[in-house]
Amino acid sequence: MKLVRYGESGRERPGLIDADGVLRDLSTLVADIEGKVLVPESLARLRDLDTSELPVVEGAPRLGPCVGAVGKFVCIGLNYLDHAEEAGMPIPAEPVIFLKPTSCIVGPNDAVEIPRGATKTDWEIELGIVIGKPAKYVAVEDAYDHVAGYCIVNDVSERSFQLERGGTWDKGKGCDTFGPIGPWLVTTDEIPDPQALDMWLEVDGVRRQTGSTRTMIFDVPTVVSYVSQFMSLQPGDIISTGTPPGVGLGMKPPVYLAPGQTMHLSITGLGEQRQTTVAAG
């Protein structure tokens, strides 16, 4: 299934994309696409629906973040060998974990703000894992049982805040609008191998990132298992799994975003995002 949330920001309604690409409303069946709807039993009930009987959503409404009420937004840094090399950072022996605040989450096509004082705002296309079953001390071989599905994440980053202002990475990763997710939450039955997904990102029509989840250092089950050793994961939590090469930081000379530019990004089977950058008010 492809689950969506559509409508005005803060007033999104639950929906799904049917086999013909038609947006259909789910609001008579579930209140939102969030934790309790993403557990295996609930997803099984939705999967058994006759989608042709669901109301069609007319027009082209805004798509919101594909998961509502996200509890934790966990990120894995330097998880592609060639990205670690372009960033000039050592290859990690274990996954690098940091957190993005949930206040950064926006819809897949919402504007991205260049923060006040920012000079090095960057892009990062990433595969997002959406948790569907509580996970604590999960073994690698059991990790897929805890995944509801996948989505696109743009891990927007302000490098000057992240790398030049001291402390941890978080303040360069958590600015408002720095976490577009969606357009869809695609359930695991549609993504049989999350390590075989091509991904790309363009800025103003120029290809910047071209990669594949095949080159992740730590794969999906390893990431889920590893994170669960340090914090419990709950349905609706998101883990963003790192980015392939081609970020602005790694270019020679580096290239960063300015207001008025457009990011366009896609992962096989997970749809596309398109964001325009604006100056923060």
Side-chain angles (χ1 to χ4, degrees):
M1 291 182 293
K2 296 180 176 68
L3 300 174
V4 299
R5 300 171 70 248
Y6 68 94
E8 297 177 14
S9 179
R11 300 178 62 185
E12 290 93 349
R13 296 165 63 92
L16 61 76
I17 306 296
D18 70 15
D20 296 318
V22 176
L23 174 58
R24 294 183 179 267
D25 182 69
L26 281 175
S27 59
T28 60
L29 301 173
V30 298
D32 200 356
I33 305 299
E34 45 81 36
K36 63 185 178 183
V37 174
L38 301 177
V39 301
E41 299 79 9
S42 178
L43 289 181
R45 286 192 293 270
L46 292 178
R47 196 172 289 117
D48 289 340
L49 291 173
D50 181 354
T51 57
S52 66
E53 296 181 356
L54 296 172
V56 172
V57 179
E58 302 294 345
R62 167 189 174 269
L63 295 182
C66 59
V67 182
V70 176
K72 288 189 290 296
F73 196 174
V74 184
C75 297
I76 307 300
L78 304 175
N79 196 24
Y80 286 71
L81 178 63
D82 32 15
H83 172 57
E85 291 173 342
E86 75 171 350
M89 297 182 181
I91 306 304
E94 298 186 29
V96 175
I97 297 176
F98 63 94
L99 300 175
K100 288 172 83 85
T102 57
S103 56
C104 80
I105 293 174
V106 292
N109 304 313
D110 290 344
V112 166
E113 294 182 358
I114 307 294
R116 294 181 184 180
T119 57
K120 299 178 179 180
T121 304
D122 207 347
W123 54 84
E124 294 191 21
I125 184 172
E126 307 200 359
L127 173 68
I129 303 168
V130 182
I131 300 298
K133 180 180 175 183
K136 184 175 183 179
Y137 301 127
V138 171
V140 171
E141 57 268 27
D142 298 326
Y144 279 129
D145 295 339
H146 298 264
V147 177
Y150 306 95
C151 66
I152 301 173
V153 175
N154 189 352
D155 176 23
V156 185
S157 309
E158 172 47 42
R159 303 301 188 188
S160 67
F161 297 173
Q162 177 190 359
L163 303 174
E164 301 169 15
R165 298 286 294 273
T168 65
W169 289 2
D170 299 49
K171 59 192 171 189
K173 296 285 191 171
C175 302
D176 288 354
T177 74
F178 271 23
I181 63 172
W184 316 313
L185 187 173
V186 182
T187 52
T188 55
D189 55 299
E190 292 203 17
I191 307 294
D193 185 0
Q195 305 306 146
L197 304 178
D198 294 328
M199 54 208 307
W200 54 263
L201 180 146
E202 297 176 349
V203 179
D204 291 341
V206 177
R207 181 66 60 91
R208 295 302 190 188
Q209 291 186 274
T210 302
S212 170
T213 56
R214 296 177 185 86
T215 65
M216 286 168 57
I217 299 169
F218 305 105
D219 63 12
V220 166
T222 300
V223 165
V224 172
S225 173
Y226 186 84
V227 173
S228 78
Q229 309 305 308
F230 301 96
M231 63 191 81
S232 62
L233 295 167
Q234 305 301 324
D237 287 349
I238 296 173
I239 306 175
S240 197
T241 57
T243 198
V247 299
L249 174 69
M251 300 180 69
K252 301 188 185 311
V255 174
Y256 297 111
L257 294 165
Q261 295 189 283
T262 298
M263 292 178 282
H264 183 202
L265 49 154
S266 180
I267 297 178
T268 303
L270 302 183
E272 299 184 7
Q273 296 185 358
R274 189 184 298 269
Q275 300 107 25
T276 298
T277 54
V278 298

